[in-house]
Amino acid sequence: MRIPVSWLAEYAALPADLTTEALDAALVEAGLEVEEVDDLRARVTGPLVVGRVASIEELTEFKKPIRHCWVEVGEAEPRSVICGARNFAEGDLVVVALPGAELPGGFKIGSRKTYGRLSDGMICSARELGISDDHEGIIVLPEGEVGADARPYVGLDEVVFELAITPDMGYCFSVRGIAREVAHRLGVAFTDPAAKAVEPAATEHPPYPVRVETDGCTRFTLREVRDVDANAEAPEWMAKRLTQAGMRPLGLAVDVTNYLMLELGHPLHAFDRDALEDVMVVRRAKPGETLKTLDDVERKLDPEDMVITDGTGPLSLAGVMGGQTSEVGPTTRNVLIEAAHWDPTSIARTSRRHKLTSEASKRYERGADAAISLLAAQRAADLLVEYGGGTLVEAVADIDHREPIEPIVMPVDLPSRTVGVDYGRDLIVAMLEAAGCTIVGGIVKEGTVEGGDVLTVVPASWRPDLTDPADLVEEVARLHGYGHIPSSIPRAIAGTGLTSSQRRRRRVARALADNGFTETYTFPFVSRERADELGLDEKDPQREAVAVLNPLDDAAPLLRTTVLASLVNAVRTNLARGAKDLAVFEEGLVFQPAEGWSDLEVVELPVSKRPEDEAIAAAIRRLPVQPRHVAAVLCGQAVPAGVDAPGRAVDWADAVFAAEIVAEASGVTLETAQGEAAPWHPGRCAELRVDGVVVGHAGELHPEVCERLGLPRRTAAMELDLTALPLPDLAPAPVISHFPATLIDVAIVVPESAPAGEVEAALREGAGELLDSLRLFDVYRDAKLGEGKKSLAFKLELRAADRTLTNEEGVAVRDAAVAVAAERFGASIRE
């Protein structure tokens, strides 16, 4: 909201020597965010004076009308000025920028010859001075002293603050609310602008027949002004303030309602009374009804929308925007002023439903002051009479269904206990009264709160945000000043550090990142079609997903049962952005329905008090099981092609390697075997086990899955259940040998059905403690090996802690390793 300082000073007695910086600080201390300080005094530099047009010569020899003017500017001789505008006459007072002045946009004024005449200055329009968008003609002043500084006459002597109003301070969407806060912060007098009008009493007969049929309208008031010039220009002071606040003057009736909305924070609406038919009814919209709003959009109304109607149908989308059929137009003579109080939630929903945010809806959805509805309407009527020459109708409509404001009971010491500042009783009362609250009966000792002294507080009508003791505590702390709250760093409580599970998660993520994988985070929400896209069998347990009642996206209402289900979204996004070679991973929760959850009743927990233990336990029983999984997806090139190498595409082995990285970081030994599971290729899928328990799968994704998900063919992936991995015991520190290693290669012939991983495990067992590392580096198949045979070549690295191994010792270790493989798989050393 933009607010000129002079408007603020009308209701808060600002000190004469108050600087812009000091006012800025006061606003910030009050909790108002200052987004910008617009010093209008600096928009135009140099001489800008009031001039009187002494004579005008029409120059007709040019393609467009041009005037040569002699303008008196308080000097000995008038100045010669060329001007193209035609909305002024001889004797008019105008704004003249003299040579040496600089207008907004860096436009410098000088003396120059144009159209065959000397132009020694410039007669200015509002747009050229940067005070409005009006460029239809130059500014004609109603009054002014020739030669005087023109800035005060056009509003360029003003400072305008632009504030960001937070939802909990909706009352500050007005000069009234901001002035109240500033007056308190500076310790100066405050004058309530609502007191400018006297609230009339409702009459037996309203100015227009009206009926309220919805509980969403708690107060509805009407005042009527007849024979008024509704489209007259607003007085200069009002138009100037509207312009400085960011609104364009449109005509007296509309300007008055806008002006009072900014000043009081209470929106108003002006109807053309003669355009109304039959009874005015305030109700909810009916199915199929439409309304063409003032922004020239035909809107289909929802049954939850509140509308003001007459015999022709909806006239206004209540609290948001009026309709075209009853708007004030060029022929309007009789104006009906409406001021109402609407349910904030309904207004907010209507505004968002129609994607229509207005100045009125901003204020209504934050809670307007129902107590001043009739005062605001009366003030508008008074201004229309004063400046539009109308006659005020005596009849008054005031349908009032407001409920009394509920008092709040607060322990006297609650602010001190909560904030940590010793607030005295008198200070607390003073701060609450500054917030507009009324203390009922002072301190009582009835024991309503744990036997302690309490205050009974009735919030002001303009503070609907104050609903419980915590709100009052916040007001005491805010109004007393956050600077009085001591700043201290809490003493850290000694902890036990990370748990074993947390340490494992960090090791896994770090290990994958160290091996070239990029960690990503995705939302755990997936579409109902994702199970079909992954090719899951109809009886696959992963299809039993938990649905979210209020999903962030209606297209993705299910919680994932596999991390791959959401990780592929990140892969597709990167592919769409041009990335081709990807290796990404995610560690996170998956969600599985609790056992028998469908037979458990839904438990609704109250928010007004702590739920019963039994209700909490019942709600917990319905919570899904949430194990942690880690998944990785790879596509493109595993090794980029270079000048010295052709490169290598990703294959199933890279996915298995990713799983082995996770296993090694987790301190477990991974067993691999041929597997078959969706969404993997049935012939290129490894089943991953730990101690004989299946904990995941790795390999190449099924071609049909890749096609449905929009992934490159031969995309590889792996997923492991981290929760299923046993947490390792504390491992002893490794003994580092200073002696050189002995390297031995061995190629063994085994049956084609023997899994390479199990053969490797047998070799490790046979090699014993001297084995430092073992790696498979070649798989060879040939008819010479025999039918159903294959050759596996391993590289053994042997090392002793206390000596350098001899060749004979190395050969003995190799033979011992092969002996175990021979016993289990019939392995033999390839000649």
Side-chain angles (χ1 to χ4, degrees), residues 630-648:
V630 60
V633 176
L634 305 97
C635 58
Q637 293 290 108
V639 179
V643 295
D644 57 345
R648 181 178 68 81

Side-chain angles (χ1 to χ4, degrees), residues 471-620:
D471 297 327
L472 301 181
V473 170
E474 183 180 1
E475 284 303 289
V476 171
R478 183 181 69 86
L479 292 173
H480 184 241
Y482 294 132
H484 292 93
I485 301 175
S487 177
S488 59
I489 300 176
R491 186 174 181 180
I493 300 175
T496 57
L498 299 177
T499 64
S500 298
S501 177
Q502 290 171 328
R503 284 196 296 271
R504 178 173 65 185
R505 288 169 52 195
R506 293 195 179 186
R507 284 197 303 268
V508 166
R510 189 179 298 114
L512 286 169
D514 289 345
N515 282 274
F517 288 80
T518 301
E519 186 171 14
T520 185
Y521 298 94
T522 61
F523 285 118
F525 309 110
V526 296
S527 65
R528 297 185 183 277
E529 296 76 23
R530 184 50 49 91
D532 294 331
E533 293 171 343
L534 292 174
L536 300 181
D537 187 81
E538 290 296 330
K539 296 183 180 180
D540 195 315
Q542 293 179 109
R543 278 187 174 271
E544 294 187 26
V546 177
V548 181
L549 291 178
N550 56 340
L552 294 175
D553 182 358
D554 291 336
L558 304 182
L559 289 170
R560 66 188 180 191
T561 56
T562 164
V563 172
L564 281 178
S566 59
L567 182 57
V568 293
N569 294 334
V571 175
R572 292 195 302 187
T573 299
N574 281 274
L575 291 171
R577 299 296 186 272
K580 295 182 179 179
D581 305 327
L582 295 174
V584 298
F585 78 95
E586 179 179 359
E587 182 274 328
L589 298 174
V590 298
F591 304 84
Q592 302 163 354
E595 185 176 355
W597 71 277
S598 58
D599 299 328
L600 299 174
E601 294 183 3
V602 176
V603 181
E604 295 186 2
L605 301 179
V607 295
S608 58
K609 63 178 182 178
R610 184 185 185 279
E612 300 292 336
D613 292 342
E614 184 177 345
I616 295 175
I620 291 175

Side-chain angles (χ1 to χ4, degrees), residues 616-680:
I616 295 175
I620 291 175
R621 284 195 293 271
R622 280 188 58 85
L623 288 177
V625 180
Q626 302 175 46
R628 285 196 169 272
H629 283 202
V630 60
V633 176
L634 305 97
C635 58
Q637 293 290 108
V639 179
V643 295
D644 57 345
R648 181 178 68 81
V650 163
D651 61 19
W652 62 269
D654 294 299
V656 175
F657 177 64
E660 291 174 343
I661 293 172
V662 174
E664 183 178 358
S666 301
V668 298
T669 301
L670 198 64
E671 305 161 4
T672 58
Q674 182 70 35
E676 185 173 344
W680 284 274

Side-chain angles (χ1 to χ4, degrees), residues 294-313:
L294 293 175
D295 58 353
D296 202 32
V297 175
E298 187 80 23
R299 301 187 183 277
K300 184 177 180 181
L301 302 180
D302 187 273
E304 286 190 8
D305 294 333
M306 288 186 291
V307 291
I308 302 174
T309 68
D310 68 352
T312 64

Side-chain angles (χ1 to χ4, degrees), residues 211-484:
R211 188 169 65 248
V212 176
E213 297 180 349
T214 173
D215 57 0
C217 178
T218 55
R219 193 176 189 187
F220 192 86
T221 64
L222 292 174
R223 293 250 56 191
E224 182 183 354
V225 180
R226 293 182 179 173
D227 297 322
V228 62
D229 187 356
N231 296 286
E233 289 189 5
E236 183 188 2
W237 59 268
M238 183 183 293
K240 187 187 299 183
R241 284 183 173 176
L242 286 172
T243 300
Q244 291 168 347
M247 288 188 169
R248 185 165 58 94
L250 299 171
L252 183 62
V254 176
D255 292 347
V256 164
T257 57
N258 285 338
Y259 178 82
L260 292 177
M261 176 182 66
L262 294 176
E263 184 169 272
L264 300 176
H266 198 301
L268 301 166
H269 187 69
F271 291 96
D272 183 341
R273 189 194 189 285
D274 298 328
L276 305 180
E277 297 181 13
D278 201 9
V279 178
M280 181 180 284
V281 180
V282 182
R283 58 171 172 81
R284 301 280 180 175
K286 297 177 181 178
E289 283 188 317
T290 61
L291 171 66
K292 195 168 188 178
T293 46
L294 293 175
D295 58 353
D296 202 32
V297 175
E298 187 80 23
R299 301 187 183 277
K300 184 177 180 181
L301 302 180
D302 187 273
E304 286 190 8
D305 294 333
M306 288 186 291
V307 291
I308 302 174
T309 68
D310 68 352
T312 64
L315 302 171
S316 171
L317 194 56
V320 180
M321 185 173 287
Q324 290 189 354
T325 58
S326 60
E327 68 174 320
V328 173
T331 62
T332 300
R333 298 299 300 172
N334 300 317
V335 176
L336 200 62
I337 300 294
E338 167 256 311
H341 184 262
W342 309 100
D343 173 53
T345 302
S346 295
I347 299 301
R349 288 177 176 171
T350 295
S351 177
R352 285 152 181 74
R353 184 182 301 117
H354 294 281
K355 297 179 181 178
L356 179 60
T357 300
S358 64
E359 292 296 327
S361 68
K362 289 178 186 177
R363 289 160 175 81
Y364 275 130
E365 68 183 41
R366 288 166 173 79
D369 185 1
I372 65 168
S373 292
L374 186 51
L375 282 170
Q378 180 63 44
R379 180 98 185 277
D382 292 341
L383 288 172
L384 286 177
V385 170
E386 181 177 358
Y387 295 102
T391 302
L392 180 62
V393 176
E394 292 185 1
V396 178
D398 185 12
I399 301 173
D400 193 349
H401 298 311
R402 288 177 293 162
E403 296 290 338
I405 299 174
E406 289 291 330
I408 303 172
V409 177
M410 181 188 74
V412 177
D413 63 344
L414 182 61
S416 299
R417 287 190 285 111
T418 304
V419 181
V421 176
D422 186 15
Y423 298 112
R425 181 258 184 195
D426 292 340
L427 177 61
I428 292 173
V429 171
M431 295 303 103
L432 293 177
E433 289 178 343
C437 301
T438 303
I439 310 301
V440 181
I443 292 182
V444 296
K445 298 183 179 181
E446 296 290 326
T448 54
V449 181
E450 298 181 358
D453 294 343
V454 298
L455 287 175
T456 303
V457 182
V458 179
S461 59
W462 44 273
R463 292 302 303 270
D465 56 302
L466 302 181
T467 58
D468 55 58
D471 297 327
L472 301 181
V473 170
E474 183 180 1
E475 284 303 289
V476 171
R478 183 181 69 86
L479 292 173
H480 184 241
Y482 294 132
H484 292 93

